[in-house]
mmCIF file of all heavy atoms in Angstrom:
data_model
loop_
_atom_site.group_PDB
_atom_site.id
_atom_site.type_symbol
_atom_site.label_atom_id
_atom_site.label_comp_id
_atom_site.label_asym_id
_atom_site.label_seq_id
_atom_site.Cartn_x
_atom_site.Cartn_y
_atom_site.Cartn_z
ATOM 1 N N VAL A 21 145.611 130.471 64.397
ATOM 2 C CA VAL A 21 146.799 130.570 63.599
ATOM 3 C C VAL A 21 146.452 129.984 62.242
ATOM 4 O O VAL A 21 146.788 130.657 61.224
ATOM 5 C CB VAL A 21 147.855 129.762 64.238
ATOM 6 C CG1 VAL A 21 149.096 129.658 63.204
ATOM 7 C CG2 VAL A 21 148.491 130.507 65.486
ATOM 8 N N PHE A 22 145.759 128.857 62.150
ATOM 9 C CA PHE A 22 145.351 128.269 60.761
ATOM 10 C C PHE A 22 144.515 129.065 60.005
ATOM 11 O O PHE A 22 144.689 129.449 58.853
ATOM 12 C CB PHE A 22 144.683 126.890 60.986
ATOM 13 C CG PHE A 22 144.153 126.263 59.950
ATOM 14 C CD1 PHE A 22 144.942 125.557 59.041
ATOM 15 C CD2 PHE A 22 142.660 126.308 59.622
ATOM 16 C CE1 PHE A 22 144.468 124.935 57.917
ATOM 17 C CE2 PHE A 22 142.335 125.733 58.412
ATOM 18 C CZ PHE A 22 143.025 125.045 57.629
ATOM 19 N N TYR A 23 143.541 129.716 60.665
ATOM 20 C CA TYR A 23 142.562 130.628 59.939
ATOM 21 C C TYR A 23 143.391 131.903 59.427
ATOM 22 O O TYR A 23 143.152 132.224 58.347
ATOM 23 C CB TYR A 23 141.462 131.112 60.850
ATOM 24 C CG TYR A 23 140.481 132.084 60.293
ATOM 25 C CD1 TYR A 23 139.512 131.571 59.407
ATOM 26 C CD2 TYR A 23 140.627 133.373 60.587
ATOM 27 C CE1 TYR A 23 138.695 132.450 58.877
ATOM 28 C CE2 TYR A 23 139.734 134.245 59.814
ATOM 29 C CZ TYR A 23 138.775 133.832 58.946
ATOM 30 O OH TYR A 23 137.832 134.602 58.390
ATOM 31 N N ASN A 24 144.226 132.504 60.281
ATOM 32 C CA ASN A 24 144.998 133.666 59.712
ATOM 33 C C ASN A 24 145.990 133.289 58.621
ATOM 34 O O ASN A 24 146.095 134.132 57.730
ATOM 35 C CB ASN A 24 145.880 134.164 60.949
ATOM 36 C CG ASN A 24 144.866 134.826 61.977
ATOM 37 O OD1 ASN A 24 143.850 135.315 61.790
ATOM 38 N ND2 ASN A 24 145.434 134.867 63.258
ATOM 39 N N GLU A 25 146.519 132.043 58.712
ATOM 40 C CA GLU A 25 147.437 131.698 57.538
ATOM 41 C C GLU A 25 146.579 131.558 56.331
ATOM 42 O O GLU A 25 146.977 131.749 55.132
ATOM 43 C CB GLU A 25 148.209 130.393 57.940
ATOM 44 C CG GLU A 25 149.222 130.730 58.967
ATOM 45 C CD GLU A 25 150.299 131.725 58.462
ATOM 46 O OE1 GLU A 25 150.780 131.603 57.462
ATOM 47 O OE2 GLU A 25 150.575 132.576 59.323
ATOM 48 N N MET A 26 145.293 130.915 56.450
ATOM 49 C CA MET A 26 144.476 130.693 55.317
ATOM 50 C C MET A 26 144.061 131.989 54.661
ATOM 51 O O MET A 26 144.097 132.178 53.486
ATOM 52 C CB MET A 26 143.276 129.841 55.684
ATOM 53 C CG MET A 26 143.517 128.315 55.962
ATOM 54 S SD MET A 26 143.875 127.447 54.560
ATOM 55 C CE MET A 26 142.284 127.408 53.697
ATOM 56 N N GLU A 27 143.818 132.987 55.498
ATOM 57 C CA GLU A 27 143.357 134.307 55.012
ATOM 58 C C GLU A 27 144.504 134.976 54.328
ATOM 59 O O GLU A 27 144.375 135.630 53.277
ATOM 60 C CB GLU A 27 142.904 135.163 56.181
ATOM 61 C CG GLU A 27 141.505 134.829 56.593
ATOM 62 C CD GLU A 27 140.385 135.093 55.519
ATOM 63 O OE1 GLU A 27 140.441 136.292 54.903
ATOM 64 O OE2 GLU A 27 139.661 134.199 55.265
ATOM 65 N N LYS A 28 145.744 134.996 54.943
ATOM 66 C CA LYS A 28 146.860 135.612 54.276
ATOM 67 C C LYS A 28 147.278 134.939 52.909
ATOM 68 O O LYS A 28 147.743 135.747 52.064
ATOM 69 C CB LYS A 28 148.117 135.570 55.171
ATOM 70 C CG LYS A 28 148.037 136.475 56.366
ATOM 71 C CD LYS A 28 149.343 136.633 57.076
ATOM 72 C CE LYS A 28 149.784 135.402 57.663
ATOM 73 N NZ LYS A 28 150.951 135.383 58.663
ATOM 74 N N ASN A 29 147.115 133.735 52.721
ATOM 75 C CA ASN A 29 147.488 133.019 51.591
ATOM 76 C C ASN A 29 146.320 132.337 50.859
ATOM 77 O O ASN A 29 146.562 131.343 50.249
ATOM 78 C CB ASN A 29 148.426 131.876 52.088
ATOM 79 C CG ASN A 29 149.570 132.465 52.727
ATOM 80 O OD1 ASN A 29 150.360 133.243 52.235
ATOM 81 N ND2 ASN A 29 149.815 132.142 53.913
ATOM 82 N N LYS A 30 145.254 133.051 50.701
ATOM 83 C CA LYS A 30 144.028 132.347 50.106
ATOM 84 C C LYS A 30 144.240 132.178 48.567
ATOM 85 O O LYS A 30 143.589 131.411 48.047
ATOM 86 C CB LYS A 30 142.654 133.118 50.317
ATOM 87 C CG LYS A 30 142.689 134.498 49.903
ATOM 88 C CD LYS A 30 141.353 135.184 50.265
ATOM 89 C CE LYS A 30 141.458 136.191 51.244
ATOM 90 N NZ LYS A 30 140.154 136.803 51.608
ATOM 91 N N ASP A 31 145.107 132.868 48.021
ATOM 92 C CA ASP A 31 145.468 132.729 46.660
ATOM 93 C C ASP A 31 146.383 131.591 46.426
ATOM 94 O O ASP A 31 146.501 131.041 45.253
ATOM 95 C CB ASP A 31 146.116 134.038 46.026
ATOM 96 C CG ASP A 31 147.335 134.364 46.694
ATOM 97 O OD1 ASP A 31 147.501 134.232 47.939
ATOM 98 O OD2 ASP A 31 148.304 134.942 45.956
ATOM 99 N N LYS A 32 147.003 131.076 47.334
ATOM 100 C CA LYS A 32 147.895 129.927 47.220
ATOM 101 C C LYS A 32 147.298 128.535 47.659
ATOM 102 O O LYS A 32 147.727 127.481 47.286
ATOM 103 C CB LYS A 32 149.256 130.179 47.929
ATOM 104 C CG LYS A 32 149.988 131.434 47.462
ATOM 105 C CD LYS A 32 151.262 131.728 48.279
ATOM 106 C CE LYS A 32 151.855 132.866 47.854
ATOM 107 N NZ LYS A 32 153.098 133.264 48.768
ATOM 108 N N ILE A 33 146.520 128.574 48.770
ATOM 109 C CA ILE A 33 146.098 127.421 49.383
ATOM 110 C C ILE A 33 144.521 127.442 49.395
ATOM 111 O O ILE A 33 143.949 128.495 49.601
ATOM 112 C CB ILE A 33 146.675 127.193 50.733
ATOM 113 C CG1 ILE A 33 146.447 128.463 51.719
ATOM 114 C CG2 ILE A 33 148.081 126.815 50.661
ATOM 115 C CD1 ILE A 33 146.932 128.217 53.055
ATOM 116 N N SER A 34 143.879 126.310 49.408
ATOM 117 C CA SER A 34 142.449 126.162 49.529
ATOM 118 C C SER A 34 142.046 124.822 50.072
ATOM 119 O O SER A 34 142.906 123.816 50.003
ATOM 120 C CB SER A 34 141.714 126.538 48.324
ATOM 121 O OG SER A 34 142.018 125.577 47.280
ATOM 122 N N PHE A 35 140.802 124.640 50.361
ATOM 123 C CA PHE A 35 140.279 123.344 50.806
ATOM 124 C C PHE A 35 140.033 122.465 49.532
ATOM 125 O O PHE A 35 139.673 122.893 48.545
ATOM 126 C CB PHE A 35 139.115 123.365 51.599
ATOM 127 C CG PHE A 35 139.331 124.109 52.808
ATOM 128 C CD1 PHE A 35 138.856 125.431 53.198
ATOM 129 C CD2 PHE A 35 139.960 123.419 53.886
ATOM 130 C CE1 PHE A 35 139.125 125.958 54.392
ATOM 131 C CE2 PHE A 35 140.198 123.990 55.152
ATOM 132 C CZ PHE A 35 139.775 125.304 55.329
ATOM 133 N N ILE A 36 140.298 121.149 49.690
ATOM 134 C CA ILE A 36 139.904 120.234 48.590
ATOM 135 C C ILE A 36 138.442 119.688 48.908
ATOM 136 O O ILE A 36 138.277 119.277 50.087
ATOM 137 C CB ILE A 36 140.878 119.002 48.559
ATOM 138 C CG1 ILE A 36 142.330 119.439 48.287
ATOM 139 C CG2 ILE A 36 140.407 117.886 47.592
ATOM 140 C CD1 ILE A 36 142.392 119.860 46.817
ATOM 141 N N LYS A 37 137.559 119.848 48.027
ATOM 142 C CA LYS A 37 136.234 119.459 48.241
ATOM 143 C C LYS A 37 135.836 118.076 47.708
ATOM 144 O O LYS A 37 134.717 117.632 47.971
ATOM 145 C CB LYS A 37 135.390 120.544 47.718
ATOM 146 C CG LYS A 37 135.581 121.932 48.392
ATOM 147 C CD LYS A 37 134.672 122.987 47.687
ATOM 148 C CE LYS A 37 135.008 124.352 48.368
ATOM 149 N NZ LYS A 37 136.204 124.967 47.760
ATOM 150 N N SER A 38 136.635 117.535 46.874
ATOM 151 C CA SER A 38 136.304 116.254 46.120
ATOM 152 C C SER A 38 137.499 115.442 45.790
ATOM 153 O O SER A 38 138.544 116.047 45.681
ATOM 154 C CB SER A 38 135.396 116.468 45.009
ATOM 155 O OG SER A 38 136.065 117.057 43.912
ATOM 156 N N TYR A 39 137.335 114.200 45.585
ATOM 157 C CA TYR A 39 138.448 113.401 45.212
ATOM 158 C C TYR A 39 138.940 113.777 43.769
ATOM 159 O O TYR A 39 140.079 113.680 43.358
ATOM 160 C CB TYR A 39 138.059 111.936 45.167
ATOM 161 C CG TYR A 39 139.219 111.011 44.856
ATOM 162 C CD1 TYR A 39 140.285 110.857 45.809
ATOM 163 C CD2 TYR A 39 139.287 110.386 43.642
ATOM 164 C CE1 TYR A 39 141.293 109.957 45.607
ATOM 165 C CE2 TYR A 39 140.398 109.499 43.427
ATOM 166 C CZ TYR A 39 141.460 109.372 44.294
ATOM 167 O OH TYR A 39 142.477 108.539 43.918
ATOM 168 N N GLN A 40 137.941 114.256 42.946
ATOM 169 C CA GLN A 40 138.244 114.725 41.435
ATOM 170 C C GLN A 40 139.309 115.849 41.541
ATOM 171 O O GLN A 40 140.081 115.983 40.691
ATOM 172 C CB GLN A 40 136.927 115.077 40.867
ATOM 173 C CG GLN A 40 136.191 113.848 40.499
ATOM 174 C CD GLN A 40 135.417 113.210 41.527
ATOM 175 O OE1 GLN A 40 135.116 113.806 42.561
ATOM 176 N NE2 GLN A 40 134.992 112.024 41.508
ATOM 177 N N GLU A 41 139.115 116.678 42.563
ATOM 178 C CA GLU A 41 140.075 117.906 42.715
ATOM 179 C C GLU A 41 141.464 117.348 42.892
ATOM 180 O O GLU A 41 142.460 117.863 42.401
ATOM 181 C CB GLU A 41 139.611 118.806 43.676
ATOM 182 C CG GLU A 41 138.420 119.690 43.385
ATOM 183 C CD GLU A 41 138.167 120.697 44.480
ATOM 184 O OE1 GLU A 41 139.096 121.322 44.833
ATOM 185 O OE2 GLU A 41 137.013 120.674 44.901
ATOM 186 N N ILE A 42 141.569 116.174 43.849
ATOM 187 C CA ILE A 42 142.825 115.772 44.146
ATOM 188 C C ILE A 42 143.566 115.097 42.920
ATOM 189 O O ILE A 42 144.562 115.375 42.555
ATOM 190 C CB ILE A 42 142.701 114.625 45.223
ATOM 191 C CG1 ILE A 42 142.255 115.289 46.567
ATOM 192 C CG2 ILE A 42 144.065 113.972 45.403
ATOM 193 C CD1 ILE A 42 141.882 114.330 47.612
ATOM 194 N N GLU A 43 142.685 114.393 42.132
ATOM 195 C CA GLU A 43 143.197 113.805 40.897
ATOM 196 C C GLU A 43 143.601 114.802 39.904
ATOM 197 O O GLU A 43 144.685 114.699 39.246
ATOM 198 C CB GLU A 43 142.175 112.889 40.246
ATOM 199 C CG GLU A 43 141.876 111.591 40.991
ATOM 200 C CD GLU A 43 140.803 110.723 40.391
ATOM 201 O OE1 GLU A 43 139.874 111.471 39.744
ATOM 202 O OE2 GLU A 43 141.001 109.521 40.318
ATOM 203 N N LYS A 44 142.825 115.933 39.706
ATOM 204 C CA LYS A 44 143.168 116.816 38.753
ATOM 205 C C LYS A 44 144.539 117.585 39.211
ATOM 206 O O LYS A 44 145.419 117.751 38.289
ATOM 207 C CB LYS A 44 142.008 117.987 38.635
ATOM 208 C CG LYS A 44 142.146 119.085 37.662
ATOM 209 C CD LYS A 44 140.969 119.917 37.631
ATOM 210 C CE LYS A 44 141.043 121.056 38.721
ATOM 211 N NZ LYS A 44 140.111 121.919 38.570
ATOM 212 N N ILE A 45 144.767 117.799 40.338
ATOM 213 C CA ILE A 45 145.938 118.537 40.827
ATOM 214 C C ILE A 45 147.132 117.551 40.673
ATOM 215 O O ILE A 45 148.229 117.994 40.174
ATOM 216 C CB ILE A 45 145.802 119.029 42.213
ATOM 217 C CG1 ILE A 45 144.774 120.198 42.284
ATOM 218 C CG2 ILE A 45 147.179 119.485 42.814
ATOM 219 C CD1 ILE A 45 144.259 120.573 43.650
ATOM 220 N N PHE A 46 146.853 116.390 41.029
ATOM 221 C CA PHE A 46 147.872 115.387 40.916
ATOM 222 C C PHE A 46 148.470 115.246 39.465
ATOM 223 O O PHE A 46 149.620 115.338 39.147
ATOM 224 C CB PHE A 46 147.414 113.965 41.498
ATOM 225 C CG PHE A 46 148.528 112.876 41.359
ATOM 226 C CD1 PHE A 46 149.593 112.735 42.115
ATOM 227 C CD2 PHE A 46 148.337 112.022 40.236
ATOM 228 C CE1 PHE A 46 150.479 111.748 41.854
ATOM 229 C CE2 PHE A 46 149.204 110.883 40.055
ATOM 230 C CZ PHE A 46 150.311 110.800 40.879
#
Side-chain angles (χ1 to χ4, degrees):
V21 169
F22 174 76
Y23 179 77
N24 289 335
E25 290 299 316
M26 289 288 289
E27 282 297 310
K28 285 193 297 190
N29 300 297
K30 63 177 117 183
D31 58 326
K32 297 177 186 173
I33 53 179
S34 65
F35 291 107
I36 297 291
K37 297 177 185 84
S38 69
Y39 186 74
Q40 286 76 20
E41 286 184 52
I42 295 171
E43 288 181 323
K44 184 173 86 173
I45 293 167
F46 173 78

